[in-house]
Amino acid sequence: MKIAIACDHGGLNLKNEIIKYLETHGHTYVDFGTKSTDSCDYPDFALPAAEAVANGVCERGIVVCSTGIGVSIVANKVPGVRCAHCHDTYCAEFTRLHNNSNVLALGEKVVGAGYALKIVETFLNTEFEGGRHQRRVDKITEIEKKFGK
């Protein structure tokens, strides 16, 4: 699977751990940065990663900052992106099963690297159930259209 990945300075260490995971598990990725711990603005990195998912360049995305909140807000501004800010594997599983989320947001200062990798694994290995859940995802798409997003 091809993954868009991005972070700001507060998520760099976790992003690098996730990249190692992706490489050892046969995934390809596009790294949208940052590559430094110098202070930077998370929208500059989360936005192009989210756009890559929305445009079909990447199948899924992972965005990281200190809390995961800022990057999730940015990613969810992109039409076609359903970004889930997850702190545990249960939410990662069910956001895929029920919401067909295509971007995962994580907080480096909130979730330890070991558990974050379990969350990533769950997010990447869980498929959308479809069925009654598709109707709900379709309603989200209609909301995006209504507000011109």
Side-chain angles (χ1 to χ4, degrees):
M1 187 178 312
K2 189 172 183 180
I3 310 298
I5 190 162
C7 70
D8 68 356
H9 58 283
L12 181 63
N13 294 324
L14 182 54
K15 183 192 79 167
N16 288 338
E17 291 298 316
I18 294 168
I19 286 173
K20 289 178 196 171
Y21 171 89
L22 296 174
E23 291 173 342
T24 61
H25 288 84
H27 298 287
T28 59
Y29 62 91
V30 179
D31 185 351
F32 289 92
T34 191
K35 294 178 170 74
S36 165
T37 56
D38 295 340
S39 182
C40 61
D41 299 331
Y42 56 85
D44 296 339
F45 306 99
L47 178 60
E51 288 174 326
V53 174
N55 296 333
V57 172
C58 295
E59 295 168 72
R60 301 225 187 116
I62 301 170
V63 290
V64 186
C65 64
S66 295
T67 64
I69 297 168
V71 290
S72 69
I73 292 169
V74 170
N76 277 316
K77 296 294 181 186
V78 177
V81 168
R82 289 173 304 284
C83 179
H85 181 205
C86 296
H87 296 280
D88 57 57
T89 55
Y90 182 83
C91 290
E93 177 183 8
F94 277 85
T95 199
R96 287 289 308 132
L97 288 171
H98 292 184
N99 310 119
N100 199 17
S101 290
N102 50 13
V103 177
L104 172 65
L106 294 166
E108 179 176 314
K109 291 181 173 44
V110 178
V111 181
Y115 193 52
L117 296 179
K118 294 281 188 195
I119 294 168
V120 167
E121 177 179 51
T122 301
F123 180 79
L124 295 178
N125 292 324
T126 303
E127 293 302 320
F128 179 50
E129 279 186 351
R132 70 185 191 278
H133 304 294
Q134 183 61 57
R135 180 179 72 246
R136 296 162 187 159
V137 171
D138 291 344
K139 288 181 179 187
I140 294 169
T141 302
E142 290 304 313
I143 293 168
E144 288 178 341
K145 290 178 186 174
K146 177 180 178 180
F147 290 97
K149 285 182 69 185

